[in-house]
Amino acid sequence: MVAKNNVLHKDHPSACPADSEDLRVVHAILSKSDPAKLDRLIHERIRLGIVSALAVNETLTFNELKKILNTTDGNLSVHARKLEEAQYIVCVKSFEGRIPKTEYRLAPEGRCALERYLSHMEALIQAMKGR
């Protein structure tokens, strides 16, 4: 990650340059933490959005999630399926009259994963603020 940032700043001089001390601190924080704590499955923007939206709503339909996340049917479908496979969310398909309806809710495993992810990110933010 640090190497990517170095390359990014080299290639984009207008980007906020991080001094080498900042990079050393970030590298130290990341090397001390267990990489397994950062859940790569929900680190992706759309998947984190799905899990976060479901954390504050009992259930959301496919169309509600699509509107909240401002994404396409295909994109939402792919990311929701990955979360379903990990048992982070539950999908219930039904019909309202003749119209198919897909509803999602956050599973207990998903809530735990989100709490772990947020704790990891808070620790990283606090470490950076405390220096």
Side-chain angles (χ1 to χ4, degrees):
M1 180 172 169
V2 173
K4 277 186 177 178
N5 286 341
N6 283 335
V7 171
L8 176 69
H9 293 300
K10 242 188 238 177
D11 294 343
H12 301 282
S14 62
C16 178
D19 66 24
S20 59
E21 181 61 27
D22 286 343
L23 294 177
R24 275 194 290 272
V25 169
V26 170
H27 182 68
I29 291 166
L30 293 176
S31 64
K32 284 181 187 174
S33 65
D34 181 1
K37 287 182 182 176
L38 183 61
D39 188 340
R40 311 254 336 140
L41 186 63
I42 62 171
H43 188 62
E44 195 283 330
R45 184 184 74 85
I46 295 293
R47 292 193 291 264
L48 182 58
I50 293 169
V51 171
S52 299
L54 292 172
V56 295
N57 292 284
E58 180 90 12
T59 62
L60 288 170
T61 66
F62 184 88
N63 287 332
E64 289 170 331
L65 273 172
K66 189 174 94 173
K67 186 176 179 181
I68 290 169
L69 300 172
N70 191 27
T71 190
T72 63
D73 288 2
N75 201 17
L76 177 58
S77 182
V78 166
H79 289 296
R81 189 168 301 122
K82 286 184 186 235
L83 292 169
E84 278 183 78
E85 289 169 0
Q87 299 181 334
Y88 283 5
I89 64 172
V90 175
C91 173
V92 176
K93 294 184 183 255
S94 62
F95 282 90
E96 269 186 6
R98 295 180 157 219
I99 299 172
K101 181 179 178 183
T102 303
E103 275 190 326
Y104 296 99
R105 70 177 167 78
L106 190 61
E109 292 84 357
R111 188 168 300 278
C112 289
L114 179 61
E115 289 172 3
R116 281 192 309 270
Y117 180 82
L118 294 176
S119 294
H120 186 89
M121 297 307 284
E122 283 175 359
L124 184 60
I125 291 167
Q126 289 305 316
M128 289 302 294
K129 284 183 176 177
R131 42 176 306 253

